[in-house]
Amino acid sequence: MEQLEAGILGTVFRNDENGWSVITVRAGRNEVTVVGTLPELSPGEQAVFTGEWIEHKTYGRQFKCTSCEIRVPTTLLGIERYLAGGLIRGVGPATALLIVRQFGEETMSVLSEHPERLTEIPGIGPKRCQMIAESFREHQSVRRAMVFLQSYGIPANLAVKISKYYGDQTPDIIRQDPYRLCDDIDGVGFKTADRIGIALGVAPDSESRIRCALRYMLRDSAVSSGHVYLPEKELCSAATALLQIPGELCAKALRSLLVSGSLIGEAGEKPDNRRIYLPAFWHAEQEVALRIRELMCAVRTDKFAGAARAISAFEKNHGISFSATQRKAITRALETGMFVITGGPGTGKTTIINCILELLSEENEVVLCAPTGRAAKRMTEATGAEAKTIHRLLEYGGDEGVFARNQENPLEADCVITDEASMIDLMLMRSLLRAIEPGCRLILVGDADQLPSVGAGNVLRDILDSGAVPCVRLTDIYRQSEASRIVVNAHLINHGQMPVLNEKGTDFFFERKLSLSDASDAIVALLTKRLPTFLGYPEKEAAALAMRNIQVLAPARKGECGVNTLNLRLQEALNPSVSGKPQISWGDTVFRLGDKVIQTKNDYQIEWIRSTPAGTEEGAGVFNGDIGFITAVDPENNMLTVLFDDDKEVEYEAGDLESLEPAYCLSVHKSQGSEFPVVVMPVTGGPPMLLTRNLLYTAMTRAKSMVVLVGSEEIIRRMVENNHVARRYTTLALRLTEESN
């Protein structure tokens, strides 16, 4: 990193929301452009910028700043320019000149320590004096907060977020308790807060430090792994290792958290190993179990008459014949308040949904939904009826966890059919159930053998394991022709058998590549040349069609065949940097016009617009797993626009880009709920916890028309034989079982 000492000349652009700025400075005799996330700077000030020189394709040489140290202007001209810069309310160029003439080199100390003296200047009365003093004080406090935070290694964009939240109290609050940052500021983890805490002299055995670590282990570490709770011994062991302190200190801090209600303890499988919950998750599990029982008890079995005749009529009209199991699934779904239909690909789940939809729609209001935009789109295509994302159905309102549809304002529906139910996490399930009145049917459809939800909980699996909710598991394959092996191979894998590789005339292919570099090269060649040629894509449209229709899925993020490396290689191969194509950088990632991208976390505040036949629809919220394409890039203002698959158009500013990643290659976990015409997957080794049967099965079932595996048969065999499913600590099944007994 280099340092640049310069005087501020002016601001070309500034985004007040995230602090991203483009400023001009004078360094020696040279005028230089500095870009980065910065506090507000005024002409005349001096600053030392830390960063690196970059070459912008349009704007030439610039200094990209990661932090800056502001120095109070000392010359009379510098002070005058600073005050006249427009940052201090009530002070323009003329007033700035009067102030400097009155106080000279003492001007800055007068403003800081004796602002009442401003009334000595003709035209500045008590009211204006107070406004100038308050504005100067606010401006200086935000700067002090920025400098204070950056001195502890806090990135500039995060420093802006923290200083906006705490205001002029930032240094005092953090000095008093730096661990508050973990609870108050999204994006601040325990290690960041602990680095500040240790630097400020917080003792390693401080109770506030230990309490923060315990909450962190539950909120971030446990929940990010899908757990609803952690066993007490596991929680204390992890916290002890993180903090490097004796275990009894963790146990003492945990007792304090339990007594205060900050955490909830519940008797576990063993008396000396309680289950420890964050209160929100404990209450959510209780509520989900209660509402499921209410739904099951509310609908009488005689509410739908003549089911057998109606099913037979559907068979005749559509030229199909249901199996006994399928007929049972339809009948039970019509008779009960809540029902689960589970099964693998090709087992007739969609046909059953279509039958239920047709039978109920004549006299009932039936709504369809799915967890993601892609899944909802597929449901619409399969049924011919509109399906919405769960967030859209519940009329998400812009604040985290707030839906317009809830127990006070339930859905106006007689039946809710939810597809891809394996993706629904505990919190989203609670929100859905709150909006469904007892008396309305809820039908969950999904594949319980796929990977569980990204968020905490294992809702579909827990409901099935409880035995408390009526369900049907479909096993017979119906959607299968002699020319296709995708569905058959998926079921072979799910039953612990090797798939049939490279059978002639099918849509399931395997390419043997024993080295990581050869496999990586083969995947790039498949997407750029071989598959587009095989699929008959026109040469001029080959790259665009490959990005839209061919999805690479990888088990791991790291390594030559991991998500990170393949994204870099595929971006350069399919959407290379060329003269005139705009792009911007965020960290190590380059975002380019035309790139395929994925949202990696829920952003409840970001606004979107959607064009519809009825006009323009506006809303807020983009969610983890949403995939889209970059349609516009504004390098000057560090902004870009993404059009997502559900037709939401979203404008991203610099501070929002941390939520975006390239999506040429996705992790298998991120692909849940999606379906792609063609799936290409490296099978080249990795950690045993990732080389599992259900991960391979989930990847295979994302493909609609073709699967290509690249790697070695031995790795495929290992994955098929590895039926390990990482345990998620949940208690929904137990609560449902207890309530049903």
Side-chain angles (χ1 to χ4, degrees):
M1 305 294 282
E2 298 185 54
Q3 286 193 327
L4 175 71
E5 185 170 355
I8 313 304
L9 295 177
T11 299
V12 177
F13 168 80
R14 178 173 176 79
N15 184 321
D16 289 327
E17 290 299 314
N18 54 42
W20 177 264
S21 305
V22 179
I23 65 172
T24 54
V25 303
R26 184 172 298 283
R29 296 182 179 179
N30 300 318
E31 188 172 313
V32 176
T33 299
V34 176
V35 299
T37 303
L38 300 166
E40 287 187 286
L41 298 168
S42 183
E45 288 187 292
Q46 290 288 123
V48 178
F49 302 97
T50 301
E52 60 181 346
W53 291 99
I54 61 171
E55 191 69 30
H56 193 283
K57 289 189 175 181
T58 304
Y59 302 103
R61 195 165 189 247
Q62 298 178 335
F63 192 81
K64 188 175 183 180
C65 172
T66 56
S67 66
C68 77
E69 178 186 344
I70 305 163
R71 296 181 177 174
V72 177
T74 55
T75 67
L76 295 181
L77 180 59
I79 295 170
E80 182 185 338
R81 284 177 176 172
Y82 164 66
L83 294 178
L87 298 179
I88 311 300
R89 293 190 302 276
V91 179
T95 304
L97 178 60
L98 291 174
I99 293 173
V100 172
R101 282 180 177 174
Q102 178 73 19
F103 301 115
E105 293 179 355
E106 296 181 1
T107 297
M108 299 303 287
S109 63
V110 167
L111 288 167
S112 298
E113 300 168 19
H114 304 288
E116 69 280 358
R117 290 190 60 192
L118 290 171
T119 56
E120 298 174 12
I121 299 171
I124 299 182
K127 188 174 181 180
R128 189 178 178 194
C129 173
Q130 183 180 359
M131 179 176 64
I132 294 171
E134 288 179 355
S135 180
F136 180 80
R137 186 169 58 251
E138 290 171 7
H139 183 55
Q140 293 298 308
S141 68
V142 170
R143 289 175 171 214
R144 284 194 296 272
M146 290 280 292
V147 172
F148 171 79
L149 292 165
Q150 290 183 5
S151 70
Y152 291 103
I154 304 297
N157 62 315
L158 189 54
V160 169
K161 187 186 294 187
I162 294 170
S163 60
K164 277 181 172 289
Y165 188 87
Y166 293 132
D168 60 2
Q169 298 298 310
T170 300
D172 293 337
I173 289 172
I174 292 176
R175 286 191 183 100
Q176 183 179 4
D177 183 8
Y179 298 98
R180 277 187 59 178
L181 288 165
C182 289
D183 296 325
D184 294 343
I185 311 295
D186 181 36
V188 177
F190 175 79
K191 291 182 179 179
T192 298
D194 198 39
R195 184 170 66 246
I196 299 173
I198 296 301
L200 289 172
V202 175
D205 60 355
S206 163
E207 186 164 335
S208 66
R209 178 175 184 254
I210 303 171
R211 286 161 63 104
C212 177
L214 289 166
R215 291 194 303 269
Y216 163 79
M217 296 304 301
L218 282 169
R219 185 182 63 244
D220 296 335
S221 183
V223 170
S224 65
S225 298
H227 302 307
V228 173
Y229 72 91
L230 283 179
E232 181 175 353
K233 289 183 178 178
E234 188 171 323
L235 172 61
C236 287
S237 176
T240 298
L242 176 68
L243 297 168
Q244 296 293 295
I245 60 171
E248 56 267 23
L249 294 178
C250 279
K252 178 184 176 183
L254 177 58
R255 286 194 297 271
S256 174
L257 288 167
L258 292 170
V259 169
S260 69
S262 299
L263 299 179
I264 291 178
E266 191 175 68
E269 295 175 4
K270 296 181 179 179
D272 62 341
N273 198 17
R274 290 174 293 184
R275 297 189 286 261
I276 308 298
Y277 301 79
L278 291 168
F281 288 93
W282 185 84
H283 288 296
E285 268 199 343
Q286 298 272 18
E287 186 176 347
V288 166
L290 175 63
R291 291 185 181 277
I292 286 175
R293 294 298 303 169
E294 288 176 345
L295 285 180
M296 289 193 298
C297 295
V299 176
R300 299 191 307 274
T301 57
D302 62 349
K303 190 164 185 179
F304 189 94
R309 290 193 305 275
I311 295 170
S312 297
F314 180 89
E315 289 177 309
K316 184 177 180 180
N317 293 337
H318 294 272
I320 61 174
S321 179
F322 288 122
S323 69
T325 303
Q326 289 176 312
R327 291 180 74 91
K328 177 185 175 184
I330 298 166
T331 303
R332 294 285 283 148
L334 296 172
E335 292 176 345
T336 56
M338 182 171 176
F339 191 71
V340 179
I341 301 169
T342 185
T347 55
K349 297 191 298 294
T350 300
T351 307
I352 289 173
I353 292 174
N354 283 330
C355 181
I356 294 170
L357 187 60
E358 184 173 308
L359 269 54
L360 285 177
S361 293
E362 291 184 9
E363 298 180 5
N364 299 272
E365 181 67 29
V366 182
V367 298
L368 308 180
C369 63
T372 67
R374 280 188 170 238
K377 205 167 190 176
R378 286 198 297 119
M379 199 177 188
T380 297
E381 292 166 354
T383 62
E386 182 187 14
K388 299 179 179 180
T389 64
I390 296 175
H391 283 84
R392 192 177 175 200
L393 177 68
L394 301 183
E395 299 174 19
Y396 166 74
D399 295 319
E400 184 169 353
V402 175
F403 295 95
R405 295 290 183 172
N406 50 38
Q407 57 268 46
E408 281 78 37
N409 182 30
L411 294 166
E412 296 165 1
D414 300 299
C415 178
V416 176
I417 302 177
T418 305
D419 200 8
E420 294 288 355
S422 63
M423 295 182 65
I424 303 176
D425 62 35
L426 178 67
M427 292 303 189
L428 187 57
M429 187 65 181
R430 180 179 65 172
S431 296
L432 178 62
L433 289 170
R434 281 178 172 178
I436 299 175
E437 282 190 301
C440 172
R441 295 179 179 84
L442 173 61
I443 300 171
L444 299 180
V445 184
D447 186 346
D449 294 317
Q450 290 185 20
L451 294 170
S453 60
V454 174
N458 201 358
V459 174
L460 181 61
R461 170 60 63 186
D462 283 351
I463 289 173
L464 292 169
D465 287 349
S466 73
V469 179
C471 67
V472 163
R473 178 181 286 274
L474 305 172
T475 56
D476 296 331
I477 302 173
Y478 299 95
R479 195 190 77 208
Q480 178 59 31
S481 67
E482 294 179 1
S484 175
R485 294 293 308 184
I486 294 175
V487 173
V488 169
N489 276 340
H491 284 269
L492 286 173
I493 289 169
N494 201 31
H495 288 91
Q497 302 174 46
M498 278 290 287
V500 178
L501 304 177
N502 284 340
E503 185 178 4
K504 289 185 178 180
T506 71
D507 50 12
F508 191 96
F509 301 93
F510 169 71
E511 182 160 344
R512 183 182 295 106
K513 295 293 179 184
L514 300 182
S515 77
L516 291 172
S517 59
D518 286 348
S520 181
D521 290 343
I523 289 170
V524 173
L526 281 165
L527 269 79
T528 54
K529 298 176 182 177
R530 295 168 56 193
L531 284 176
T533 300
F534 179 80
L535 295 167
Y537 294 164
E539 187 174 345
K540 290 184 178 180
E541 301 174 46
L545 289 171
M547 283 193 284
R548 194 161 291 278
N549 296 320
I550 306 173
Q551 184 61 57
V552 180
L553 303 178
R557 294 194 65 87
K558 298 180 181 179
E560 281 191 75
C561 288
V563 171
N564 299 337
T565 299
L566 286 175
N567 264 323
L568 288 173
R569 295 201 61 186
L570 291 169
Q571 181 189 43
E572 286 306 313
L574 295 171
N575 191 30
S577 175
V578 296
S579 178
K581 182 180 287 188
Q583 64 182 43
I584 57 177
S585 298
W586 179 257
D588 296 330
T589 304
V590 174
F591 294 106
R592 192 172 294 144
L593 181 66
D595 272 343
K596 184 179 185 179
V597 293
I598 183 170
Q599 177 80 10
T600 59
K601 65 179 183 180
N602 292 339
D603 186 332
Y604 296 92
Q605 305 299 330
I606 196 165
E607 296 178 349
W608 53 260
I609 61 172
R610 179 190 284 120
S611 297
T612 68
T616 300
E617 181 184 356
E618 298 182 357
V622 181
F623 304 102
N624 189 358
D626 287 353
I627 297 173
F629 287 84
I630 297 176
T631 57
V633 176
D634 181 356
E636 183 175 350
N637 297 322
N638 226 41
M639 299 168 65
L640 57 81
T641 303
V642 177
L643 181 63
F644 286 98
D645 285 341
D646 56 358
D647 300 322
K648 290 187 297 193
E649 188 174 73
V650 181
E651 194 172 82
Y652 285 79
E653 298 175 346
D656 303 319
L657 295 179
E658 63 184 1
S659 302
L660 278 184
E661 286 184 2
Y664 298 92
C665 178
L666 300 176
S667 68
V668 178
H669 288 80
K670 288 290 186 186
S671 73
Q672 289 174 261
S674 297
E675 185 176 70
F676 312 98
V678 180
V679 165
V680 176
M681 181 181 179
V683 281
T684 53
M689 62 183 291
L690 293 176
L691 299 182
T692 63
R693 182 188 301 174
N694 70 335
L695 186 139
L696 178 60
Y697 173 78
T698 299
M700 297 247 321
T701 55
R702 300 306 90 210
K704 184 177 181 181
S705 304
M706 182 184 296
V707 169
V708 183
L709 302 181
V710 180
S712 77
E713 296 98 325
E714 178 57 30
I715 297 300
I716 297 174
R717 187 179 304 281
R718 274 195 233 166
M719 295 182 79
V720 171
E721 292 175 353
N722 182 6
N723 197 29
H724 172 73
V725 177
R727 180 184 177 184
R728 288 193 167 192
Y729 292 121
T730 67
T731 37
L732 179 59
L734 178 64
R735 298 188 196 286
L736 286 169
T737 302
E738 289 174 345
E739 288 187 21
S740 63
N741 291 336

